[in-house]
Amino acid sequence: MSYVGGKARHAEFILNILNDPQFDGMRYLEPFIGMAHIISRVQRKQSYRASDNCQLLVILLGAIQKGEPLPTITRDEYCALKVQPDSLRKATAAITYSFNGKLFGGFTEFYHRKSGRVDNIPQSRKNYYHRLARCEGFQKATLDCRDYRTHHPHGCLIYCDPPYARFEGRATQYGVAFDTETFWVTMREWSKHNVVFISEYQSPPDFVCIASHSKPCTLAGGHRQIQRTERLFTHVSTLPRLNPRIAESGLALT
């Protein structure tokens, strides 16, 4: 899927849960890694495994993990690479040089702010990649290109940040092509033998919100913003296995 996530900021409410001492020493799985903003800040786990079914994203993250230099991409090359076989150059173009990081979402290089400041977007992203390469959790992670449904975890701490479903009648950027119903069925199964946390705006009734954060979202055209509450869910059957601080917050938000 063409999905690279968006947890660069305001993820403390998620990390406070994942880094709770209760989960120290567990095996950690993140099947929707995005740009690794969460896994890079998850601490004290026995092992780290992450995946995404977007080959170009996994190619780029693998190169970052190995410290490989990333190429500079011109506008003409950006257009030409769209029809070329997958490679690190294509992955760099598709994500690093694309608007909002969406796969081939439009070539972007400089962003002119109203203040007069000009941002070099690809360079800013490469600066982040350099910081990411120094993160312990990311360096330890085993990266795979695979569909989340091919995982069969047992005894793991799992964080899922899937493409979000329709929200208040509007399709989110990636929700149209993602089977949300099947996702929640899979999360119920995983929750039987794992501790699973899921980021979403809404959930089926048998999942409980244990933390939340309000954030502004720009509508199409970029002229109007609305506030949406991003929530962290877990299955109701998981609550008895959580320490009182986490479980009680979930019951209070229910």
Side-chain angles (χ1 to χ4, degrees):
M1 88 195 86
S2 302
Y3 177 69
V4 295
K7 295 296 185 295
R9 297 181 297 169
H10 310 303
E12 290 80 6
F13 75 106
I14 299 169
L15 294 164
N16 286 340
I17 303 293
L18 299 179
N19 287 328
D20 188 274
Q22 175 184 1
F23 307 125
D24 287 0
M26 289 187 69
R27 290 178 289 127
Y28 178 76
L29 170 63
E30 194 170 315
F32 302 88
I33 188 174
M35 286 311 302
H37 290 296
I38 297 297
I39 195 172
S40 63
R41 291 177 281 176
V42 172
Q43 302 171 356
R44 303 182 303 277
K45 301 303 180 273
Q46 177 186 358
S47 61
Y48 298 78
R49 189 179 187 95
S51 65
D52 197 281
N53 71 352
C54 174
Q55 180 69 37
L56 290 174
L57 177 60
V58 175
I59 288 173
L60 177 62
L61 292 176
I64 294 169
Q65 195 178 54
K66 296 172 185 175
E68 297 180 18
L70 300 182
T72 298
I73 305 296
T74 65
R75 184 182 297 272
D76 288 344
E77 186 177 14
Y78 178 92
C79 296
L81 282 166
K82 291 182 181 181
V83 296
Q84 297 299 313
D86 289 351
S87 65
L88 180 55
R89 293 194 74 86
K90 183 175 181 178
T92 303
I95 299 169
T96 308
Y97 285 79
S98 281
F99 181 74
N100 279 345
K102 183 181 179 183
L103 292 185
F104 285 114
F107 181 83
T108 184
E109 188 170 14
F110 297 105
Y111 179 74
H112 297 264
R113 297 184 179 274
K114 292 181 180 179
S115 64
R117 192 180 81 185
V118 180
D119 294 338
N120 185 321
I121 300 301
Q123 187 57 54
S124 296
R125 290 174 181 161
K126 290 179 181 180
N127 291 342
Y128 164 68
Y129 301 161
H130 288 307
R131 297 194 299 273
L132 178 61
R134 297 194 295 269
C135 294
E136 182 179 6
F138 178 71
Q139 275 298 331
K140 289 182 176 180
T142 300
L143 302 177
D144 297 299
C145 180
R146 59 193 293 182
D147 187 282
Y148 75 96
R149 292 166 292 186
T150 65
H151 288 286
H152 301 285
H154 193 284
C156 295
L157 173 66
I158 303 173
Y159 170 67
C160 292
D161 185 20
Y164 291 176
R166 296 180 67 88
F167 180 79
E168 295 178 351
R170 295 185 294 271
T172 56
Q173 188 174 10
Y174 304 99
V176 176
F178 185 72
D179 187 343
T180 300
E181 183 175 345
T182 296
F183 169 77
W184 288 110
V185 170
T186 305
M187 294 303 101
R188 291 187 184 96
E189 287 299 311
W190 285 8
S191 296
K192 293 177 181 178
H193 304 291
N194 304 276
V195 177
V196 184
F197 298 110
I198 303 130
S199 282
E200 244 287 14
Y201 292 132
Q202 52 198 0
S203 76
D206 55 330
F207 286 82
V208 178
C209 174
I210 59 169
S212 63
H213 176 78
S214 181
K215 66 177 186 179
C217 294
T218 302
L219 299 179
H223 300 298
R224 187 162 64 93
Q225 286 189 338
I226 61 172
Q227 291 290 324
R228 287 184 177 176
T229 299
E230 187 170 275
R231 298 177 173 88
L232 189 68
F233 296 99
T234 194
H235 192 260
V236 65
S237 64
T238 305
L239 289 178
R241 291 181 275 149
L242 303 180
N243 73 33
R245 178 185 71 84
I246 302 174
E248 289 171 7
S249 67
L251 293 172
L253 289 169
T254 302

